[in-house]
Amino acid sequence: IANVIFLSVWLAPPIPKYTFGMDPHDIANFYSERHAVLASISEGLIATDGEWKIKIINTASRKILNITSDYKGQSIQSVFPTLQDSDIVNVPNKPLSFELSVNRKTLIMTILPLQKIATSGTVITFRDKTEMTELVNTLFEVPKYSDDLRAQTHYFINRLYVIPALLKLHKNY
């Protein structure tokens, strides 16, 4: 019993430091919230450790890349085979954005290093450029639809003016 008391007294002080002052209920809530946030993001998100091994991959990443596995513990190049070592080795301390072709899709990627946080690693976010291009094209078509609608309205109103004119002419005879 003395050993248990000694170990308890010796281990107790650092526990709040490692759990950021959270009790088990708070930790469970934190992970549930983290999972919900990652699942709700429509942008692909992958977090890696300092050795470019995948730690987190969200649902949108799997959908965009058309993969089923979570790739945890595997190299980032297992997901992005066309990603060159030169793209990832010398990542500056600010976000790095570029385009990358993967599985006949062009992705717009951003790599953000996490060296200022306690553990080093990176967060990689990406979107399908094709999807973004379609969205931009749709937005550019809205003014054209508006102009077409305005022309149709003008044409229809001009046709309607003929009816009262004909009625008035008929009254006069």
Side-chain angles (χ1 to χ4, degrees):
I1 290 190
N3 289 341
V4 172
I5 293 172
F6 173 74
L7 282 173
S8 298
V9 170
W10 184 64
L11 290 175
I15 289 175
K17 174 184 166 189
Y18 295 124
T19 62
F20 299 103
M22 294 189 285
D23 62 20
H25 179 70
D26 293 336
I27 293 171
N29 283 340
F30 171 76
Y31 280 102
S32 295
E33 290 168 0
R34 183 182 96 164
H35 179 72
V37 167
L38 289 174
S40 69
I41 297 173
S42 62
E43 202 169 70
L45 184 137
I46 298 176
T48 67
D49 62 13
E51 297 175 0
W52 293 94
K53 303 286 185 207
I54 296 172
K55 292 174 71 176
I56 299 170
I57 184 166
N58 73 344
T59 307
S61 296
R62 289 188 197 102
K63 182 179 174 189
I64 293 169
L65 298 171
N66 198 22
I67 57 176
T68 55
S69 175
D70 63 3
Y71 286 86
K72 286 185 182 171
Q74 295 185 33
S75 169
I76 191 67
Q77 278 138 339
S78 62
V79 176
F80 300 115
T82 56
L83 189 64
Q84 301 297 317
D85 287 333
S86 60
D87 293 330
I88 60 177
V89 171
N90 298 318
V91 175
N93 286 335
K94 58 183 180 181
L96 173 69
S97 295
F98 57 95
E99 290 184 8
L100 184 71
S101 293
V102 178
N103 298 335
R104 291 176 280 157
K105 291 182 180 181
T106 302
L107 304 177
I108 299 174
M109 302 188 65
T110 301
I111 299 178
L112 176 66
L114 301 175
Q115 281 122 9
K116 292 184 180 179
I117 299 177
T119 59
S120 65
T122 56
V123 173
I124 301 170
T125 58
F126 54 93
R127 289 200 81 127
D128 185 356
K129 184 178 179 182
T130 310
E131 181 182 298
M132 292 175 66
T133 304
E134 288 173 1
L135 181 63
V136 168
N137 289 342
T138 301
L139 290 175
F140 280 125
E141 288 177 10
V142 170
K144 183 184 178 305
Y145 289 138
S146 176
D147 289 342
D148 290 347
L149 189 59
R150 189 177 306 115
Q152 288 292 330
T153 304
H154 180 74
Y155 177 76
F156 184 70
I157 288 173
N158 284 343
R159 290 284 183 148
L160 287 178
Y161 280 128
V162 171
I163 296 171
L166 289 174
L167 288 173
K168 192 171 188 179
L169 281 173
H170 189 295
K171 244 186 205 178
N172 291 338
Y173 286 109

mmCIF file of all heavy atoms in Angstrom, residues 78-122:
data_model
loop_
_atom_site.group_PDB
_atom_site.id
_atom_site.type_symbol
_atom_site.label_atom_id
_atom_site.label_comp_id
_atom_site.label_asym_id
_atom_site.label_seq_id
_atom_site.Cartn_x
_atom_site.Cartn_y
_atom_site.Cartn_z
ATOM 1 N N SER A 78 1.605 7.991 -49.502
ATOM 2 C CA SER A 78 0.713 6.877 -49.816
ATOM 3 C C SER A 78 -0.649 7.404 -50.266
ATOM 4 O O SER A 78 -1.362 6.742 -51.007
ATOM 5 C CB SER A 78 0.557 5.952 -48.612
ATOM 6 O OG SER A 78 -0.014 6.640 -47.522
ATOM 7 N N VAL A 79 -1.012 8.613 -49.834
ATOM 8 C CA VAL A 79 -2.264 9.250 -50.259
ATOM 9 C C VAL A 79 -2.025 10.139 -51.472
ATOM 10 O O VAL A 79 -2.843 10.188 -52.379
ATOM 11 C CB VAL A 79 -2.869 10.082 -49.102
ATOM 12 C CG1 VAL A 79 -4.104 10.826 -49.553
ATOM 13 C CG2 VAL A 79 -3.193 9.193 -47.918
ATOM 14 N N PHE A 80 -0.914 10.856 -51.468
ATOM 15 C CA PHE A 80 -0.562 11.762 -52.571
ATOM 16 C C PHE A 80 0.731 11.267 -53.222
ATOM 17 O O PHE A 80 1.814 11.789 -52.953
ATOM 18 C CB PHE A 80 -0.359 13.194 -52.061
ATOM 19 C CG PHE A 80 -1.558 13.790 -51.406
ATOM 20 C CD1 PHE A 80 -1.549 14.121 -50.058
ATOM 21 C CD2 PHE A 80 -2.713 14.039 -52.127
ATOM 22 C CE1 PHE A 80 -2.655 14.680 -49.448
ATOM 23 C CE2 PHE A 80 -3.826 14.597 -51.532
ATOM 24 C CZ PHE A 80 -3.790 14.917 -50.186
ATOM 25 N N PRO A 81 0.647 10.260 -54.103
ATOM 26 C CA PRO A 81 1.870 9.709 -54.695
ATOM 27 C C PRO A 81 2.643 10.724 -55.541
ATOM 28 O O PRO A 81 3.851 10.589 -55.698
ATOM 29 C CB PRO A 81 1.381 8.558 -55.560
ATOM 30 C CG PRO A 81 -0.085 8.479 -55.404
ATOM 31 C CD PRO A 81 -0.543 9.569 -54.529
ATOM 32 N N THR A 82 1.959 11.727 -56.083
ATOM 33 C CA THR A 82 2.644 12.705 -56.930
ATOM 34 C C THR A 82 3.249 13.850 -56.123
ATOM 35 O O THR A 82 3.884 14.726 -56.695
ATOM 36 C CB THR A 82 1.676 13.294 -57.980
ATOM 37 O OG1 THR A 82 0.552 13.857 -57.304
ATOM 38 C CG2 THR A 82 1.202 12.223 -58.948
ATOM 39 N N LEU A 83 3.052 13.832 -54.810
ATOM 40 C CA LEU A 83 3.639 14.868 -53.956
ATOM 41 C C LEU A 83 5.132 14.607 -53.839
ATOM 42 O O LEU A 83 5.559 13.536 -53.406
ATOM 43 C CB LEU A 83 2.975 14.843 -52.574
ATOM 44 C CG LEU A 83 3.313 15.976 -51.618
ATOM 45 C CD1 LEU A 83 2.818 17.307 -52.170
ATOM 46 C CD2 LEU A 83 2.672 15.719 -50.263
ATOM 47 N N GLN A 84 5.925 15.559 -54.267
ATOM 48 C CA GLN A 84 7.380 15.399 -54.260
ATOM 49 C C GLN A 84 7.952 15.738 -52.889
ATOM 50 O O GLN A 84 7.400 16.551 -52.154
ATOM 51 C CB GLN A 84 8.003 16.328 -55.317
ATOM 52 C CG GLN A 84 7.518 16.084 -56.723
ATOM 53 C CD GLN A 84 7.872 14.705 -57.218
ATOM 54 O OE1 GLN A 84 8.976 14.226 -57.005
ATOM 55 N NE2 GLN A 84 6.933 14.033 -57.871
ATOM 56 N N ASP A 85 9.068 15.111 -52.565
ATOM 57 C CA ASP A 85 9.732 15.426 -51.299
ATOM 58 C C ASP A 85 10.081 16.907 -51.207
ATOM 59 O O ASP A 85 10.019 17.498 -50.141
ATOM 60 C CB ASP A 85 11.012 14.594 -51.145
ATOM 61 C CG ASP A 85 10.702 13.136 -50.850
ATOM 62 O OD1 ASP A 85 9.629 12.876 -50.272
ATOM 63 O OD2 ASP A 85 11.536 12.280 -51.188
ATOM 64 N N SER A 86 10.419 17.513 -52.346
ATOM 65 C CA SER A 86 10.772 18.937 -52.340
ATOM 66 C C SER A 86 9.583 19.811 -51.947
ATOM 67 O O SER A 86 9.742 20.893 -51.414
ATOM 68 C CB SER A 86 11.313 19.370 -53.702
ATOM 69 O OG SER A 86 10.320 19.155 -54.702
ATOM 70 N N ASP A 87 8.350 19.330 -52.211
ATOM 71 C CA ASP A 87 7.154 20.088 -51.838
ATOM 72 C C ASP A 87 6.948 20.110 -50.333
ATOM 73 O O ASP A 87 6.408 21.063 -49.795
ATOM 74 C CB ASP A 87 5.894 19.492 -52.489
ATOM 75 C CG ASP A 87 5.885 19.645 -53.998
ATOM 76 O OD1 ASP A 87 6.470 20.624 -54.491
ATOM 77 O OD2 ASP A 87 5.297 18.784 -54.664
ATOM 78 N N ILE A 88 7.378 19.045 -49.657
ATOM 79 C CA ILE A 88 7.058 18.924 -48.244
ATOM 80 C C ILE A 88 8.242 19.113 -47.303
ATOM 81 O O ILE A 88 8.057 19.424 -46.141
ATOM 82 C CB ILE A 88 6.370 17.573 -47.942
ATOM 83 C CG1 ILE A 88 7.246 16.401 -48.319
ATOM 84 C CG2 ILE A 88 5.038 17.496 -48.637
ATOM 85 C CD1 ILE A 88 6.656 15.042 -47.986
ATOM 86 N N VAL A 89 9.454 18.923 -47.786
ATOM 87 C CA VAL A 89 10.610 18.999 -46.891
ATOM 88 C C VAL A 89 10.877 20.425 -46.450
ATOM 89 O O VAL A 89 11.092 20.694 -45.269
ATOM 90 C CB VAL A 89 11.863 18.400 -47.566
ATOM 91 C CG1 VAL A 89 13.109 18.669 -46.743
ATOM 92 C CG2 VAL A 89 11.670 16.912 -47.757
ATOM 93 N N ASN A 90 10.840 21.352 -47.367
ATOM 94 C CA ASN A 90 11.187 22.739 -47.046
ATOM 95 C C ASN A 90 9.960 23.624 -46.926
ATOM 96 O O ASN A 90 9.898 24.698 -47.507
ATOM 97 C CB ASN A 90 12.137 23.299 -48.115
ATOM 98 C CG ASN A 90 13.442 22.538 -48.158
ATOM 99 O OD1 ASN A 90 13.992 22.205 -47.115
ATOM 100 N ND2 ASN A 90 13.926 22.242 -49.349
ATOM 101 N N VAL A 91 8.969 23.180 -46.158
ATOM 102 C CA VAL A 91 7.760 23.982 -45.963
ATOM 103 C C VAL A 91 8.120 25.168 -45.076
ATOM 104 O O VAL A 91 8.681 24.991 -43.996
ATOM 105 C CB VAL A 91 6.633 23.140 -45.306
ATOM 106 C CG1 VAL A 91 5.431 24.003 -45.005
ATOM 107 C CG2 VAL A 91 6.250 21.992 -46.210
ATOM 108 N N PRO A 92 7.833 26.385 -45.517
ATOM 109 C CA PRO A 92 8.152 27.552 -44.685
ATOM 110 C C PRO A 92 7.230 27.616 -43.463
ATOM 111 O O PRO A 92 6.321 26.817 -43.326
ATOM 112 C CB PRO A 92 7.899 28.732 -45.625
ATOM 113 C CG PRO A 92 6.927 28.217 -46.627
ATOM 114 C CD PRO A 92 7.205 26.744 -46.775
ATOM 115 N N ASN A 93 7.487 28.574 -42.581
ATOM 116 C CA ASN A 93 6.677 28.710 -41.371
ATOM 117 C C ASN A 93 5.336 29.377 -41.629
ATOM 118 O O ASN A 93 4.658 29.778 -40.701
ATOM 119 C CB ASN A 93 7.445 29.496 -40.301
ATOM 120 C CG ASN A 93 8.532 28.648 -39.681
ATOM 121 O OD1 ASN A 93 8.441 27.421 -39.681
ATOM 122 N ND2 ASN A 93 9.566 29.287 -39.182
ATOM 123 N N LYS A 94 4.969 29.523 -42.865
ATOM 124 C CA LYS A 94 3.663 30.071 -43.220
ATOM 125 C C LYS A 94 2.996 29.107 -44.191
ATOM 126 O O LYS A 94 3.655 28.230 -44.739
ATOM 127 C CB LYS A 94 3.811 31.466 -43.820
ATOM 128 C CG LYS A 94 4.686 31.529 -45.046
ATOM 129 C CD LYS A 94 4.845 32.943 -45.532
ATOM 130 C CE LYS A 94 5.741 32.936 -46.763
ATOM 131 N NZ LYS A 94 5.971 34.248 -47.273
ATOM 132 N N PRO A 95 1.704 29.255 -44.421
ATOM 133 C CA PRO A 95 1.012 28.322 -45.328
ATOM 134 C C PRO A 95 1.610 28.333 -46.729
ATOM 135 O O PRO A 95 1.970 29.380 -47.264
ATOM 136 C CB PRO A 95 -0.421 28.847 -45.351
ATOM 137 C CG PRO A 95 -0.571 29.644 -44.114
ATOM 138 C CD PRO A 95 0.788 30.215 -43.815
ATOM 139 N N LEU A 96 1.726 27.160 -47.299
ATOM 140 C CA LEU A 96 2.237 26.984 -48.653
ATOM 141 C C LEU A 96 1.102 26.437 -49.501
ATOM 142 O O LEU A 96 0.537 25.397 -49.180
ATOM 143 C CB LEU A 96 3.420 26.002 -48.644
ATOM 144 C CG LEU A 96 3.974 25.562 -49.994
ATOM 145 C CD1 LEU A 96 4.659 26.737 -50.676
ATOM 146 C CD2 LEU A 96 4.954 24.412 -49.809
ATOM 147 N N SER A 97 0.732 27.136 -50.576
ATOM 148 C CA SER A 97 -0.374 26.709 -51.436
ATOM 149 C C SER A 97 0.142 26.372 -52.827
ATOM 150 O O SER A 97 1.021 27.064 -53.349
ATOM 151 C CB SER A 97 -1.435 27.809 -51.535
ATOM 152 O OG SER A 97 -2.026 28.024 -50.288
ATOM 153 N N PHE A 98 -0.423 25.323 -53.412
ATOM 154 C CA PHE A 98 -0.047 24.905 -54.757
ATOM 155 C C PHE A 98 -1.105 23.950 -55.300
ATOM 156 O O PHE A 98 -1.997 23.534 -54.564
ATOM 157 C CB PHE A 98 1.341 24.247 -54.780
ATOM 158 C CG PHE A 98 1.466 23.066 -53.862
ATOM 159 C CD1 PHE A 98 1.264 21.781 -54.329
ATOM 160 C CD2 PHE A 98 1.798 23.248 -52.531
ATOM 161 C CE1 PHE A 98 1.375 20.689 -53.485
ATOM 162 C CE2 PHE A 98 1.923 22.159 -51.670
ATOM 163 C CZ PHE A 98 1.706 20.877 -52.152
ATOM 164 N N GLU A 99 -0.994 23.618 -56.583
ATOM 165 C CA GLU A 99 -1.900 22.655 -57.216
ATOM 166 C C GLU A 99 -1.182 21.320 -57.347
ATOM 167 O O GLU A 99 0.025 21.276 -57.570
ATOM 168 C CB GLU A 99 -2.338 23.145 -58.598
ATOM 169 C CG GLU A 99 -3.261 24.324 -58.546
ATOM 170 C CD GLU A 99 -3.771 24.739 -59.921
ATOM 171 O OE1 GLU A 99 -3.529 24.008 -60.914
ATOM 172 O OE2 GLU A 99 -4.410 25.794 -59.998
ATOM 173 N N LEU A 100 -1.963 20.244 -57.212
ATOM 174 C CA LEU A 100 -1.402 18.903 -57.308
ATOM 175 C C LEU A 100 -2.403 18.005 -58.026
ATOM 176 O O LEU A 100 -3.597 18.044 -57.722
ATOM 177 C CB LEU A 100 -1.120 18.354 -55.906
ATOM 178 C CG LEU A 100 -0.444 16.994 -55.826
ATOM 179 C CD1 LEU A 100 1.013 17.109 -56.272
ATOM 180 C CD2 LEU A 100 -0.505 16.468 -54.404
ATOM 181 N N SER A 101 -1.921 17.206 -58.980
ATOM 182 C CA SER A 101 -2.792 16.269 -59.696
ATOM 183 C C SER A 101 -2.768 14.921 -58.990
ATOM 184 O O SER A 101 -1.696 14.361 -58.751
ATOM 185 C CB SER A 101 -2.326 16.095 -61.137
ATOM 186 O OG SER A 101 -2.519 17.294 -61.840
ATOM 187 N N VAL A 102 -3.967 14.432 -58.652
ATOM 188 C CA VAL A 102 -4.115 13.144 -57.981
ATOM 189 C C VAL A 102 -5.334 12.439 -58.572
ATOM 190 O O VAL A 102 -6.428 13.010 -58.583
ATOM 191 C CB VAL A 102 -4.310 13.320 -56.457
ATOM 192 C CG1 VAL A 102 -4.514 11.981 -55.782
ATOM 193 C CG2 VAL A 102 -3.148 14.070 -55.839
ATOM 194 N N ASN A 103 -5.157 11.230 -59.064
ATOM 195 C CA ASN A 103 -6.262 10.438 -59.607
ATOM 196 C C ASN A 103 -7.097 11.218 -60.625
ATOM 197 O O ASN A 103 -8.313 11.267 -60.533
ATOM 198 C CB ASN A 103 -7.172 9.925 -58.490
ATOM 199 C CG ASN A 103 -6.453 9.017 -57.536
ATOM 200 O OD1 ASN A 103 -5.462 8.398 -57.886
ATOM 201 N ND2 ASN A 103 -6.942 8.946 -56.315
ATOM 202 N N ARG A 104 -6.444 11.826 -61.577
ATOM 203 C CA ARG A 104 -7.105 12.613 -62.630
ATOM 204 C C ARG A 104 -7.911 13.787 -62.100
ATOM 205 O O ARG A 104 -8.842 14.252 -62.732
ATOM 206 C CB ARG A 104 -7.965 11.709 -63.507
ATOM 207 C CG ARG A 104 -7.105 10.760 -64.345
ATOM 208 C CD ARG A 104 -7.953 9.825 -65.122
ATOM 209 N NE ARG A 104 -8.358 8.767 -64.193
ATOM 210 C CZ ARG A 104 -9.418 8.011 -64.350
ATOM 211 N NH1 ARG A 104 -10.197 8.163 -65.361
ATOM 212 N NH2 ARG A 104 -9.719 7.087 -63.466
ATOM 213 N N LYS A 105 -7.582 14.249 -60.906
ATOM 214 C CA LYS A 105 -8.205 15.446 -60.334
ATOM 215 C C LYS A 105 -7.100 16.441 -60.027
ATOM 216 O O LYS A 105 -6.000 16.056 -59.644
ATOM 217 C CB LYS A 105 -8.934 15.131 -59.023
ATOM 218 C CG LYS A 105 -10.163 14.294 -59.166
ATOM 219 C CD LYS A 105 -10.804 14.110 -57.808
ATOM 220 C CE LYS A 105 -12.064 13.266 -57.920
ATOM 221 N NZ LYS A 105 -12.714 13.088 -56.621
ATOM 222 N N THR A 106 -7.416 17.705 -60.187
ATOM 223 C CA THR A 106 -6.479 18.740 -59.789
ATOM 224 C C THR A 106 -6.948 19.288 -58.455
ATOM 225 O O THR A 106 -8.076 19.763 -58.335
ATOM 226 C CB THR A 106 -6.412 19.868 -60.836
ATOM 227 O OG1 THR A 106 -6.023 19.299 -62.085
ATOM 228 C CG2 THR A 106 -5.414 20.932 -60.437
ATOM 229 N N LEU A 107 -6.074 19.197 -57.466
ATOM 230 C CA LEU A 107 -6.399 19.665 -56.122
ATOM 231 C C LEU A 107 -5.650 20.951 -55.828
ATOM 232 O O LEU A 107 -4.495 21.106 -56.213
ATOM 233 C CB LEU A 107 -6.005 18.610 -55.078
ATOM 234 C CG LEU A 107 -6.592 17.219 -55.252
ATOM 235 C CD1 LEU A 107 -6.034 16.296 -54.182
ATOM 236 C CD2 LEU A 107 -8.103 17.260 -55.189
ATOM 237 N N ILE A 108 -6.324 21.855 -55.151
ATOM 238 C CA ILE A 108 -5.676 23.062 -54.637
ATOM 239 C C ILE A 108 -5.346 22.770 -53.186
ATOM 240 O O ILE A 108 -6.240 22.566 -52.368
ATOM 241 C CB ILE A 108 -6.579 24.292 -54.776
ATOM 242 C CG1 ILE A 108 -6.892 24.540 -56.239
ATOM 243 C CG2 ILE A 108 -5.921 25.507 -54.136
ATOM 244 C CD1 ILE A 108 -7.875 25.642 -56.488
ATOM 245 N N MET A 109 -4.052 22.701 -52.890
ATOM 246 C CA MET A 109 -3.592 22.277 -51.577
ATOM 247 C C MET A 109 -2.959 23.414 -50.800
ATOM 248 O O MET A 109 -2.345 24.293 -51.385
ATOM 249 C CB MET A 109 -2.574 21.145 -51.719
ATOM 250 C CG MET A 109 -3.101 19.956 -52.455
ATOM 251 S SD MET A 109 -1.992 18.559 -52.411
ATOM 252 C CE MET A 109 -1.985 18.176 -50.689
ATOM 253 N N THR A 110 -3.114 23.349 -49.494
ATOM 254 C CA THR A 110 -2.429 24.264 -48.590
ATOM 255 C C THR A 110 -1.799 23.432 -47.487
ATOM 256 O O THR A 110 -2.472 22.609 -46.867
ATOM 257 C CB THR A 110 -3.400 25.293 -47.974
ATOM 258 O OG1 THR A 110 -4.015 26.025 -49.027
ATOM 259 C CG2 THR A 110 -2.678 26.249 -47.056
ATOM 260 N N ILE A 111 -0.506 23.642 -47.272
ATOM 261 C CA ILE A 111 0.208 22.944 -46.209
ATOM 262 C C ILE A 111 0.584 23.975 -45.155
ATOM 263 O O ILE A 111 1.213 24.988 -45.458
ATOM 264 C CB ILE A 111 1.470 22.234 -46.737
ATOM 265 C CG1 ILE A 111 1.083 21.189 -47.784
ATOM 266 C CG2 ILE A 111 2.252 21.609 -45.603
ATOM 267 C CD1 ILE A 111 2.267 20.461 -48.395
ATOM 268 N N LEU A 112 0.178 23.714 -43.920
ATOM 269 C CA LEU A 112 0.466 24.613 -42.805
ATOM 270 C C LEU A 112 1.286 23.865 -41.761
ATOM 271 O O LEU A 112 0.805 22.885 -41.181
ATOM 272 C CB LEU A 112 -0.838 25.118 -42.174
ATOM 273 C CG LEU A 112 -0.702 26.001 -40.947
ATOM 274 C CD1 LEU A 112 -0.036 27.322 -41.312
ATOM 275 C CD2 LEU A 112 -2.051 26.252 -40.315
ATOM 276 N N PRO A 113 2.531 24.296 -41.522
ATOM 277 C CA PRO A 113 3.342 23.621 -40.503
ATOM 278 C C PRO A 113 2.870 23.987 -39.094
ATOM 279 O O PRO A 113 2.339 25.069 -38.869
ATOM 280 C CB PRO A 113 4.752 24.163 -40.764
ATOM 281 C CG PRO A 113 4.543 25.447 -41.459
ATOM 282 C CD PRO A 113 3.246 25.359 -42.197
ATOM 283 N N LEU A 114 3.067 23.060 -38.156
ATOM 284 C CA LEU A 114 2.660 23.279 -36.769
ATOM 285 C C LEU A 114 3.869 23.325 -35.837
ATOM 286 O O LEU A 114 3.801 22.860 -34.720
ATOM 287 C CB LEU A 114 1.712 22.156 -36.315
ATOM 288 C CG LEU A 114 0.439 21.979 -37.102
ATOM 289 C CD1 LEU A 114 -0.335 20.768 -36.608
ATOM 290 C CD2 LEU A 114 -0.424 23.219 -36.997
ATOM 291 N N GLN A 115 4.985 23.876 -36.262
ATOM 292 C CA GLN A 115 6.181 23.860 -35.447
ATOM 293 C C GLN A 115 6.078 24.726 -34.194
ATOM 294 O O GLN A 115 6.789 24.519 -33.241
ATOM 295 C CB GLN A 115 7.386 24.308 -36.265
ATOM 296 C CG GLN A 115 7.907 23.197 -37.141
ATOM 297 C CD GLN A 115 7.913 23.570 -38.591
ATOM 298 O OE1 GLN A 115 7.679 24.709 -38.939
ATOM 299 N NE2 GLN A 115 8.146 22.603 -39.448
ATOM 300 N N LYS A 116 5.192 25.696 -34.175
ATOM 301 C CA LYS A 116 5.071 26.569 -33.017
ATOM 302 C C LYS A 116 4.258 25.912 -31.908
ATOM 303 O O LYS A 116 4.239 26.377 -30.794
ATOM 304 C CB LYS A 116 4.429 27.897 -33.410
ATOM 305 C CG LYS A 116 5.332 28.713 -34.312
ATOM 306 C CD LYS A 116 4.730 30.046 -34.618
ATOM 307 C CE LYS A 116 5.678 30.826 -35.514
ATOM 308 N NZ LYS A 116 5.153 32.123 -35.860
ATOM 309 N N ILE A 117 3.574 24.822 -32.222
ATOM 310 C CA ILE A 117 2.783 24.112 -31.226
ATOM 311 C C ILE A 117 3.688 23.067 -30.576
ATOM 312 O O ILE A 117 4.745 22.731 -31.096
ATOM 313 C CB ILE A 117 1.540 23.491 -31.898
ATOM 314 C CG1 ILE A 117 0.701 24.619 -32.496
ATOM 315 C CG2 ILE A 117 0.725 22.678 -30.925
ATOM 316 C CD1 ILE A 117 -0.511 24.164 -33.241
ATOM 317 N N ALA A 118 3.268 22.522 -29.448
ATOM 318 C CA ALA A 118 4.092 21.586 -28.680
ATOM 319 C C ALA A 118 4.623 20.439 -29.518
ATOM 320 O O ALA A 118 5.775 20.045 -29.391
ATOM 321 C CB ALA A 118 3.298 21.060 -27.495
ATOM 322 N N THR A 119 3.812 19.873 -30.384
ATOM 323 C CA THR A 119 4.281 18.792 -31.247
ATOM 324 C C THR A 119 4.376 19.310 -32.671
ATOM 325 O O THR A 119 3.539 20.071 -33.120
ATOM 326 C CB THR A 119 3.305 17.595 -31.209
ATOM 327 O OG1 THR A 119 2.027 18.030 -31.636
ATOM 328 C CG2 THR A 119 3.220 17.011 -29.822
ATOM 329 N N SER A 120 5.421 18.886 -33.370
ATOM 330 C CA SER A 120 5.564 19.345 -34.750
ATOM 331 C C SER A 120 4.742 18.466 -35.663
ATOM 332 O O SER A 120 4.391 17.337 -35.336
ATOM 333 C CB SER A 120 7.042 19.330 -35.161
ATOM 334 O OG SER A 120 7.518 18.003 -35.158
ATOM 335 N N GLY A 121 4.437 18.977 -36.808
ATOM 336 C CA GLY A 121 3.643 18.270 -37.802
ATOM 337 C C GLY A 121 3.089 19.276 -38.787
ATOM 338 O O GLY A 121 3.541 20.417 -38.855
ATOM 339 N N THR A 122 2.108 18.849 -39.548
ATOM 340 C CA THR A 122 1.492 19.733 -40.534
ATOM 341 C C THR A 122 0.008 19.450 -40.630
ATOM 342 O O THR A 122 -0.457 18.374 -40.284
ATOM 343 C CB THR A 122 2.100 19.512 -41.937
ATOM 344 O OG1 THR A 122 1.968 18.148 -42.272
ATOM 345 C CG2 THR A 122 3.538 19.936 -42.011
#
